[in-house]
Amino acid sequence: MSNLPKIIWSKIDEAPALATYSLLPIVNAFTKEAGVEVVESDISLAGRVLAAMGLAEDELSKLGEVVLQPEGNVIKLPNISASVGQLKDCIAELQGQGYDIPNYPENPANDEEKAIQAKYSVCLGSAVNPVLREGNSDRRAAKAVKRFAQNNPHRLKAYAENSKAYVAHMGGKGDFYGHEKSVTSAKDQKVTIALNGKELTTIDALAGEVLDGTFMSVAALREFYKKTIQDAKEEGLIWSLHLKATMMKISDPIMFGHAFEIFFEDVFAKHADTFAELGVNPNLGMSDLEKKIAGHAKEAEIKADFLAAVESDAPKIAMVDSDKGETNFNASNDVIIDASMPVVVREGGKQWDRNGDALETVAVIPDSTYGMFHAEMLADCVKNGQYDVSTMGTMQNIGLMAQKAEEYGSHPTTFELAEAGTVTVTGEDGVLMSFECEAGDIWRLARTKDIPIRDWVRLTVERTRIEGIPAVFWLDEARAHDAELIKKVNEYLKDHDTSGLDIKFMNVTDATRFTNERIRRGENTIAVTGNVLRDHLTDMYPILELGTSAKMLSIVPLIAGGGLFETGAGGSAPKHVDQFLAEGHLRWDSLGEFLALAESLRMIEQKHPNAKLAALTAGLDVANQGYLDNNKAPGRKVGQPDNKASHFYLAQYWANALANSGDAELEAKFTSVANALNEKEEVIIAELLEVEGKPQDVGGYFHPNDELAAKAMRPSATLNAIIDAI
C-alpha cells in the first residue's frame, strides 16, 4: 500500500450500515488501485455501548483524534442518535448475543447504578457529531444532482386556497429567545454556573469565546401548549409537536414531556398515583409508559383512557405511524424537527391523523429562536403556493458548527432547575450574567469559540467568491447571541478581500423571505447560519429541491486541515431496515456515499498530486453522473432493483470510465472488469433480484452478525467474483 492517507469509513447503524456490506468491497477494490485504502471505524450505537462497558475499543474517541490531524479524512454516514428506549433495546440485544453488560438504570437507586448510568449516558442523543465536527459546514447540492431533480421533479403537494396551516411558537414570551443574555469572554478564565450560590458546574472559557445564558419558563411553556391545543380545536386543525430530542438531549425531552402531560392532562391527573408507583416518566413518551404499565391491574383502564382522549372532541393529534396507532407522543425522538417540518411544507401544510388522512396542522415549535424560520417557510407557501421543483433555485449553506458551537454543544451545561432562585454565571472578575428562574425551568449555557467564528467568516468569503451569488448572515441584532456575533463578523470580514461580493445581514424571518423570493425566481443564495439553523435549513431546502437531504453534498473542511465528508439522512433508515428484514429489499440510496467518496478522494489528490488518483476520482465523477442520468436509484418496492443493484451500476459505470481514462495502468486493469460487468449485467441483476421477497436474517438490528449481513447484502456470486478478483 502507498503512503497516501487512509480514508476512514464510519461503521454505523440501520440502513446505511447494511448498505456498507455491499458497497465497501466495491470501493476498496477500486481505490486500492490508486494506493488509497478505505478502513472502517465502528461508531455504531452497539459499538459505543460495548466501548462504554470496556468490551470494545473506543473508536469514537480515536476518530475524535483523527479529525484534529492535518491528514484526517473521514466519511461519516448517519448514525442513531439514541433515545433512552433505543439504548435499552440495544443493551437487550447485546445481552441476548452473550455480552455481559448491565441493564440501563433509568432511576438509579445507589452509587453503583449511578456509575452505570453515567457510563451509558455518553451513548445517548447526538453523541457522535459533536466529537467529529471539528470544522464548519459547507453544504450544497452538486450541480448534477440539482439538474437531475429539475429534469425529474418529485411531487410537492398543493396548498388549499384558504389553508389554515401555521406554525405556533412562543414569540419570545418566556422562551429561550426572550430570556437570552450573551457576553464575550475577555480572557481565558474559569467560569462557574450556580443556582442560589450552589455550584452546578464550571467551564474553562477561552478569550474571545461567546457565552450565552438563557432559560425556558416551564410555566409559560405549559400555558403556550394549552393555548395551541385550544386554538387547534377551534380551527379544526391537527396538533403536531416538533422538537429535536436527539440533538438537544437534555432540554427537548423535558419540553416533550410537558406537552405529553398537557395534551393528556385528565389522564395524567386521574392516574397520578399509579404513574408515580410505576416510575412513569412523561419525557420518554407513550411507548415507555406502555412498557411500565404492562401487567398492572389498571393497564386496560389506562389504555382506554388515553384512547378516549384521542377520540374525544379534543384536537386530533398527529401520528408518526397511523398503521401502528403511534401518535406524536410515542417517543421524544420519533419527531425530529429538521425532518418533520419539511414534510409539513412538502405535504401542503398537513400531517396525518390516526386514520391515515392528511389534515392541515398547527405545527407547534415552542422556542421562537428557530420557530421563526419554520413559521415563515409555511406562511410563504400558504400565501404563494407550493414550489415548482423544475424551476426553483437552490440554497447553499455555510454553517457555524465547529468545536460544539452554540446550542448543540450545550448538553453539559443544561439543567432542569431543582428550585426557584437566581442562576449566576461568574467569571474571575465577577458576575457575567444572572437570571431569575422558577423550579422546573430549563436553564442552559451555550458556547461559541472564536477560532470557529473566524473560520466561518473565511469559508463564507471563499464560497461567495466561487459562486458569485449573494450570501446572507442569518443574524438577528435583537437576539443577544447574534448581536455578539455581528460584532465579530464585521471585524473579521476586514481580514478578507470582499470587493465585488454581495454579503448581507438579516434576521431569521427576513432572511427566509429573501431566500425564498429568490428561489421562486430560480435564483441561488448562500445562507450563512449558526449550528441549529444549519441543521434545519439543510434538511428543509434539499427535501423541497431534491426530494431528500441525503443527496446534498455535505463537506466539513476541518480546521486542522483535513476533511469530514458527511452522507445521507438517517430519518427513514429504520423503515428501510424493517422492509429489508421482511422482504429482502433495501431502498436506501447510497448516492450520498458516492458523492462523499469523490470529494474525499479529491482532497487527497489535491494534497498529494497523483495522476492515477486524479484519473480514479474523475472516473468516479463520471460514474456518479451516469448513475443520475440513467436513474439507477433503488426502487421503493420489492421486486425492483434495490440498493445492492445500485452498487452494481456504480461499479459498472466506474469501471467503464476507468477503461477509457487515459491512464495506461488503470485502463489495463479495468478494461477486463468493465467488459465482465457489461457482459454479465443480466445475470448479476437476476441474481440480485432472486432474493427479493424473502425474509432476511442478519443476526441483529443494532449489532448485526458480519457474516450473515454480508451474505444478505452480497447475494450475487457473479458480481462478487468480478469485484473480488480486481
Side-chain angles (χ1 to χ4, degrees):
M1 191 58 63
S2 73
N3 293 321
L4 292 176
K6 294 179 180 179
I7 296 172
I8 299 179
W9 188 288
S10 65
K11 182 177 182 179
I12 32 65
D13 312 283
E14 299 178 323
L18 291 174
T20 297
Y21 286 103
S22 167
L23 178 58
L24 199 55
I26 294 171
V27 168
N28 257 316
F30 280 71
T31 61
K32 70 181 182 183
E33 296 305 319
V36 176
E37 184 181 4
V38 184
V39 298
E40 277 194 294
S41 177
D42 187 356
I43 57 172
S44 66
L45 176 58
R48 289 181 282 123
V49 165
L50 293 174
M53 291 296 111
L55 297 178
E57 290 289 327
D58 186 354
E59 296 292 341
L60 179 58
S61 292
K62 290 182 179 180
L63 272 190
E65 296 172 2
V66 169
V67 295
L68 297 176
Q69 299 168 4
E71 295 288 0
N73 190 322
V74 179
I75 294 178
K76 190 261 172 187
L77 284 69
N79 59 280
I80 290 175
S81 295
S83 66
V84 170
Q86 287 174 308
L87 175 59
K88 289 162 71 175
D89 289 344
C90 180
I91 291 169
E93 180 176 302
L94 290 168
Q95 290 170 336
Q97 293 175 346
Y99 290 96
D100 184 14
I101 56 177
N103 291 329
Y104 175 78
E106 200 172 304
N107 300 297
N110 52 52
D111 289 343
E112 181 184 0
E113 290 188 350
K114 288 179 181 178
I116 293 170
Q117 186 189 58
K119 285 183 178 181
Y120 278 136
S121 67
V122 300
C123 303
L124 287 170
S126 186
V128 172
N129 290 338
V131 176
L132 301 185
R133 287 174 170 171
E134 285 292 329
N136 292 311
S137 171
D138 180 358
R139 292 190 176 187
R140 57 191 184 275
K143 288 182 171 62
V145 174
K146 178 65 175 177
R147 185 165 55 249
F148 176 83
Q150 290 178 320
N151 292 336
N152 302 272
H154 55 279
R155 186 184 177 193
L156 301 178
K157 300 288 181 64
Y159 280 75
E161 187 174 344
N162 297 307
S163 174
K164 294 181 180 180
Y166 72 101
V167 169
H169 58 74
M170 293 173 71
K173 298 176 182 177
D175 62 0
F176 290 120
Y177 178 89
H179 286 138
E180 190 173 65
K181 298 178 182 180
S182 184
V183 296
T184 297
S185 182
K187 58 185 178 182
D188 292 356
Q189 59 181 317
K190 178 181 178 181
V191 173
T192 301
I193 303 168
L195 172 60
N196 295 329
K198 291 172 284 190
E199 181 181 307
L200 296 174
T201 192
T202 62
I203 63 168
D204 293 318
L206 302 177
E209 181 175 3
V210 178
L211 305 176
D212 313 315
T214 188
F215 68 97
M216 169 69 73
S217 165
V218 166
L221 175 67
R222 291 174 74 91
E223 283 303 312
F224 166 73
Y225 283 145
K226 289 178 181 178
K227 184 179 186 305
T228 60
I229 291 168
Q230 183 60 35
D231 290 348
K233 181 178 179 179
E234 292 174 358
E235 294 294 327
L237 298 173
I238 195 169
W239 193 92
S240 60
L241 180 65
H242 304 266
L243 296 167
K244 188 156 188 177
T246 52
M247 207 65 161
M248 304 303 297
K249 61 183 178 182
I250 308 298
S251 61
D252 283 25
I254 298 170
M255 292 194 287
F256 172 90
H258 284 292
F260 190 21
E261 285 187 323
I262 292 295
F263 197 92
F264 295 104
E265 193 168 19
D266 293 342
V267 182
F268 274 94
K270 178 180 177 181
H271 298 286
D273 291 343
T274 303
F275 290 168
E277 170 197 339
L278 297 174
V280 167
N281 182 352
N283 299 356
L284 301 179
M286 190 68 194
S287 59
D288 186 76
L289 185 150
E290 289 178 335
K291 292 176 184 176
K292 294 280 176 57
I293 65 173
H296 193 276
K298 292 189 175 181
E299 178 183 5
E301 179 185 346
I302 292 169
K303 287 185 173 181
D305 288 341
F306 273 109
L307 183 59
V310 171
E311 294 177 338
S312 70
D313 61 352
K316 290 187 175 183
I317 178 71
M319 308 294 285
V320 294
D321 193 323
S322 300
D323 294 336
K324 295 180 180 179
E326 294 176 352
T327 75
N328 208 166
F329 292 117
N330 185 60
S332 60
N333 67 314
D334 274 351
V335 180
I336 301 174
I337 184 171
D338 48 300
S340 62
M341 278 307 301
V343 171
V344 172
V345 176
R346 183 193 71 194
E347 296 295 316
K350 296 178 180 180
Q351 290 272 265
W352 289 272
D353 71 0
R354 59 193 304 269
N355 298 316
D357 296 324
L359 304 174
E360 289 178 356
T361 189
V362 50
V364 177
I365 305 171
D367 184 27
S368 55
T369 312
Y370 306 106
M372 288 185 273
F373 162 64
H374 296 285
E376 180 58 31
M377 285 298 302
L378 190 51
D380 174 69
C381 286
V382 168
K383 178 182 177 181
N384 298 309
Q386 191 57 273
Y387 291 94
D388 183 344
V389 177
S390 67
T391 61
M392 67 189 294
T394 193
M395 184 283 309
Q396 300 183 12
N397 179 259
I398 302 296
L400 174 59
M401 73 175 190
Q403 299 178 2
K404 304 176 184 178
E406 302 184 326
E407 295 94 328
Y408 277 179
S410 67
H411 320 313
T413 49
T414 300
F415 306 93
E416 186 175 21
L417 301 180
E419 62 188 42
T422 305
V423 177
T424 53
V425 180
T426 306
E428 292 177 359
D429 299 322
V431 175
L432 300 171
M433 298 175 275
S434 66
F435 306 82
E436 297 302 318
C437 304
E438 298 297 327
D441 286 352
I442 308 164
W443 191 94
R444 74 173 178 224
L445 180 96
R447 308 172 62 180
T448 312
K449 297 178 179 67
D450 190 60
I451 289 175
I453 298 171
R454 292 176 183 269
D455 183 72
W456 184 49
V457 173
R458 175 198 62 79
L459 193 57
T460 297
V461 172
E462 288 182 3
R463 179 51 53 187
T464 308
R465 178 75 64 191
I466 291 169
E467 299 294 336
I469 57 179
V472 181
F473 280 93
W474 292 43
L475 295 174
D476 179 358
E477 61 184 9
R479 181 190 172 195
H481 167 76
D482 286 7
E484 291 297 302
L485 257 60
I486 288 170
K487 289 186 285 187
K488 284 179 170 285
V489 171
N490 276 322
E491 187 62 30
Y492 300 154
L493 281 171
K494 297 175 184 177
D495 297 334
H496 304 276
D497 176 13
T498 60
S499 58
L501 302 184
D502 187 357
I503 298 176
K504 308 174 186 293
F505 292 80
M506 295 183 185
N507 65 36
V508 171
T509 300
D510 290 345
T512 309
R513 193 169 295 152
F514 175 81
T515 302
N516 291 350
E517 287 173 353
R518 290 180 56 81
I519 281 178
R520 287 183 181 278
R521 295 196 300 266
E523 298 171 346
N524 305 332
T525 311
I526 300 171
V528 189
T529 69
N531 205 352
V532 180
L533 278 173
R534 166 203 59 79
D535 203 17
H536 293 203
L537 269 67
T538 57
D539 273 311
M540 176 67 78
Y541 286 104
I543 286 173
L544 298 177
E545 291 181 37
L546 312 175
T548 173
S549 58
K551 294 181 179 180
M552 197 173 202
L553 203 57
S554 182
I555 301 171
V556 182
L558 298 169
I559 291 173
L564 173 68
F565 306 91
E566 299 186 323
T567 80
S572 58
K575 291 183 179 179
H576 291 188
V577 176
D578 290 344
Q579 183 183 19
F580 176 75
L581 295 177
E583 52 191 26
H585 184 87
L586 186 67
R587 67 177 191 265
W588 176 262
D589 190 349
S590 294
L591 177 62
E593 288 90 285
F594 303 164
L595 297 172
L597 177 62
E599 295 304 319
S600 175
L601 292 169
R602 203 177 329 276
M603 186 186 78
I604 297 175
E605 198 281 325
Q606 288 169 350
K607 289 187 172 189
H608 306 273
N610 177 313
K612 186 174 290 186
L613 181 53
L616 183 85
T617 307
L620 180 53
D621 289 336
V622 171
N624 286 337
Q625 184 68 61
Y627 178 84
L628 287 165
D629 289 345
N630 294 290
N631 198 10
K632 294 302 183 182
R636 295 179 61 84
K637 298 179 180 179
V638 66
Q640 298 174 334
D642 75 342
N643 175 267
K644 302 182 290 291
S646 74
H647 298 163
F648 158 71
Y649 287 115
L650 177 82
Q652 183 186 54
Y653 296 148
W654 200 356
N656 277 288
L658 295 179
N660 297 280
S661 63
D663 182 283
E665 289 186 15
L666 289 177
E667 288 187 351
K669 171 69 70 171
F670 282 97
T671 296
S672 61
V673 176
N675 290 339
L677 291 172
N678 294 336
E679 292 168 5
K680 298 293 186 180
E681 177 176 349
E682 287 188 14
V683 173
I684 291 169
I685 294 299
E687 290 175 348
L688 294 174
L689 291 178
E690 200 274 330
V691 300
E692 292 275 314
K694 299 175 181 178
Q696 300 294 314
D697 177 15
V698 296
Y701 183 93
F702 297 97
H703 192 241
N705 176 287
D706 287 341
E707 185 176 342
L708 290 176
K711 181 180 178 182
M713 287 301 300
R714 301 189 74 199
S716 170
T718 304
L719 175 60
N720 297 345
I722 295 170
I723 296 301
D724 295 345
I726 296 177

